[in-house]
Structures are given as C-alpha cells and as structure tokens.
Amino acid sequence: MIAALEDAFPATEHYVGDDGRHYWRLPSRAVAPLLTPSAEELVSLKSAITELERVDMNGEAIQLRRLERKVRALIPSDRTLRLTTDEEALLEAMGFAARPGPRPSMNEAVDLAISEALKGPFELRICYQGRGDAKPSWRTIEPLGLLLGSRRYLVGIDTAKRDGRYRHYRVEDIMEARVQTRIFTYPVEFDLGEYAKRAFGSYHHEAEYGEVVWKFAPEAAERAARFQFHPNQEAERMDDGSLLVRFDASGHLEMCWHLYAWGESVEVITPPRLAELVHPYRRSDFAALP
C-alpha cells in the first residue's frame, strides 16, 4: 500500500519520528489537484451567497463572496474553463442566475462594520437619521443583533440614553458606521431569538404587542396551513373547513402588507385595530393566493 502511494504521489515524504516509528507525509501541493471543487459545489456556494443577500445578511454574504474568490484562485487554470461552463448551465437550470424582486439597497462598508461590531462585541458609532430627525446625527450604540424582514433593523442600546430600552435602527438609514475599540458587556437578560418572536416581521411596537387571531376561508385553508406565520403560532381547523391561526406579536403594518395578498380569503378576528387596517381594503379578484 505504501509502494502504491509513493507510485501515485512521488512527492510523498518518509521519515522516522522521535518515537522510532515510521511516518509518511503527503505535502498539500501534491494533492491540490484532487481538491479542485466541482461545478455543483461552486453552484452551492454561489447559491448560499444569493440566499444570504436575499434575506439581507449582507455582512455574511460579503465574507462568503471573499471565500469564493479564494477558492476560485486555487483552481488549476486547465480546469477553469470547463468548470465555468458547467457552473453556468447549472445556475441557469436552478434559476439562481437572477432572482427578481425588490430589496433594500446595500452599503457594504456599513454591513461589514455591523458584522465586526457584533463579533466583538464592540461599540459602534453610526451616522443615522431616524423618522423624527430633521437631519442625520452621530450616536454611539452597543449593537445586540440584527432583525431581518422586509426591512433590516439593528437592535442596540444607545450609550447616551441608558433608560433600559432596546432601540431599533433601520440599516438602510445608517449612512456611515465606525467600529470602536471599546468592548461592552452583552446583557445576559437579552435573548435575540426570544426578542424577535415579539414581532410578526422585523418591526417591534410594544404598544401593539398582544394576541393576533386570523381566520382563513375554507378555500384558502390548505394554502394557509403550509405557512408559518409566526414561530409560536397555533392553528386550528374549524368545522366549516376554515383555519384559525393565533399567536402573540406586534407589528401591525407588516401584518397588513402580508394579509393584503390574501384578499377576502382572510378575516382578522383580533386585534380590532388590525381589522380596521385590513378589512376595508380586501379584494376578491386576485387570481392566486400567496
């Protein structure tokens, strides 16, 4: 077996260790051609980048794109052309060559700064303009995590307003971000996963938080049953074939954006305020359900 190994890889190195045992070592350069990624593996990597960008995890997408460039740089030149051809064919067949649809604009420098600050965790200085601000201003925050949805929100503590509140900053409205050298202590009582469940999407509104109950008509029940509207939802099939979905959350505006797509196939049972926002604008002429 050793002779076969040395025959296949002449660069194999043999030496006797301090313990008197014989060792054979295969240098990485000798097996580099065997480590060339396949077209399928490259497509999977590109698809992962696309999916990260789709859910606005741009910092992670940037890092993965850098890894992709490093991997491609190590591919032997005689295999590059064939791999590129196969990769393009697979991407086209899988539908990942282009993914249509609106998404917020991306600021690579801001996304990288947020990612770096979260890893520290380091304080982050941001130039930000809130809805009620006449102009942008600089503020220093302790970043705790990102909430991803139709919009991206950076959850953090404003170091100038230590009032026990967790504030949200729309990532698209952060014009500049600078990672500070100061490390802060992450609050032990804060759990981003549990905190995220208090909203339907990425927007939190404590005054709106409470029970939400939606009733989907019998003709839409099967489709609605295949949706997870909230991680803690409870679904109940009614005698008439309709589906009742209930959960606790806030974010009426994002709920409206989703419910409008169901037309007259959904009824808001509670809260009344959400029903007022949805019911007058339901349509019956949508050709398909979400």
Side-chain angles (χ1 to χ4, degrees):
M1 291 175 64
I2 293 173
L5 176 67
E6 293 176 332
D7 185 50
F9 299 99
T12 300
E13 300 172 356
H14 169 241
Y15 65 95
V16 179
D18 295 337
D19 56 1
R21 301 178 64 182
H22 291 257
Y23 292 88
W24 287 263
R25 177 178 177 273
L26 195 59
S28 57
R29 66 179 183 277
V31 295
L34 300 179
L35 301 178
T36 301
S38 66
E40 290 80 5
E41 289 169 334
L42 291 174
V43 166
S44 296
L45 184 57
K46 185 176 288 291
S47 299
I49 295 171
T50 302
E51 188 65 18
L52 286 171
E53 292 174 337
R54 188 182 68 82
V55 297
D56 296 321
M57 297 182 67
N58 294 315
E60 290 74 11
I62 290 167
Q63 300 296 344
L64 206 55
R65 197 178 298 113
R66 289 177 175 173
L67 174 62
E68 181 193 24
R69 287 197 290 266
K70 293 176 182 177
V71 169
R72 291 182 183 277
L74 296 174
I75 298 176
S77 57
D78 60 330
R79 302 191 183 188
T80 301
L81 182 59
R82 175 62 184 273
L83 279 173
T84 301
T85 302
D86 292 346
E87 184 184 357
E88 289 176 353
L90 285 170
L91 282 170
E92 184 176 353
M94 293 175 63
F96 282 110
R99 184 186 289 271
R103 58 185 301 269
S105 58
M106 169 182 160
N107 185 324
E108 182 172 319
V110 168
D111 288 331
L112 285 176
I114 292 174
S115 178
E116 183 66 24
L118 289 172
K119 286 186 292 186
F122 298 106
E123 289 186 350
L124 186 67
R125 189 158 173 77
I126 60 174
C127 181
Y128 180 77
Q129 183 173 5
R131 286 193 180 95
D133 299 335
K135 60 180 181 179
S137 62
W138 284 93
R139 59 197 79 185
T140 302
I141 67 171
E142 296 174 350
L144 304 179
L146 279 170
L147 297 175
L148 307 176
S150 52
R151 292 193 180 105
R152 291 182 300 159
Y153 288 92
L154 176 63
V155 183
I157 298 172
D158 191 327
T159 58
K161 302 174 183 177
R162 294 193 179 275
D163 51 8
R165 288 181 55 195
Y166 301 121
R167 287 176 164 78
H168 296 180
Y169 305 92
R170 294 187 306 280
V171 175
E172 294 74 33
D173 292 337
I174 299 177
M175 301 170 186
E176 190 175 345
R178 301 173 184 171
V179 181
Q180 306 298 289
T181 56
R182 181 182 175 87
I183 295 177
F184 67 91
T185 302
Y186 198 92
V188 294
E189 73 279 3
F190 182 78
D191 185 310
L192 183 64
E194 291 301 316
Y195 184 75
K197 293 176 184 177
R198 295 184 64 82
F200 174 71
S202 57
Y203 180 71
H204 283 61
H205 194 305
E206 287 303 314
E208 292 179 355
Y209 182 79
E211 185 183 39
V212 176
V213 182
W214 299 338
K215 183 178 181 180
F216 292 90
E219 63 272 15
E222 282 298 329
R223 179 65 61 88
R226 295 196 290 269
F227 273 81
Q228 184 188 60
F229 301 99
H230 189 271
N232 293 340
Q233 73 180 38
E234 295 180 1
E236 179 184 0
R237 188 62 67 95
M238 310 303 289
D239 293 339
D240 63 355
S242 60
L243 182 72
L244 211 62
V245 176
R246 65 177 75 240
F247 54 89
D248 292 335
S250 65
H252 292 170
L253 182 58
E254 288 184 314
M255 293 181 197
C256 287
W257 292 340
H258 180 75
L259 291 174
Y260 287 147
W262 291 88
E264 290 188 334
S265 297
V266 67
E267 176 187 358
V268 177
I269 306 300
T270 191
R273 176 55 182 158
L274 179 61
E276 293 172 4
L277 292 171
V278 173
H279 289 176
Y281 305 102
R282 291 180 298 174
R283 297 177 59 120
S284 60
D285 57 348
F286 285 147
L289 295 172

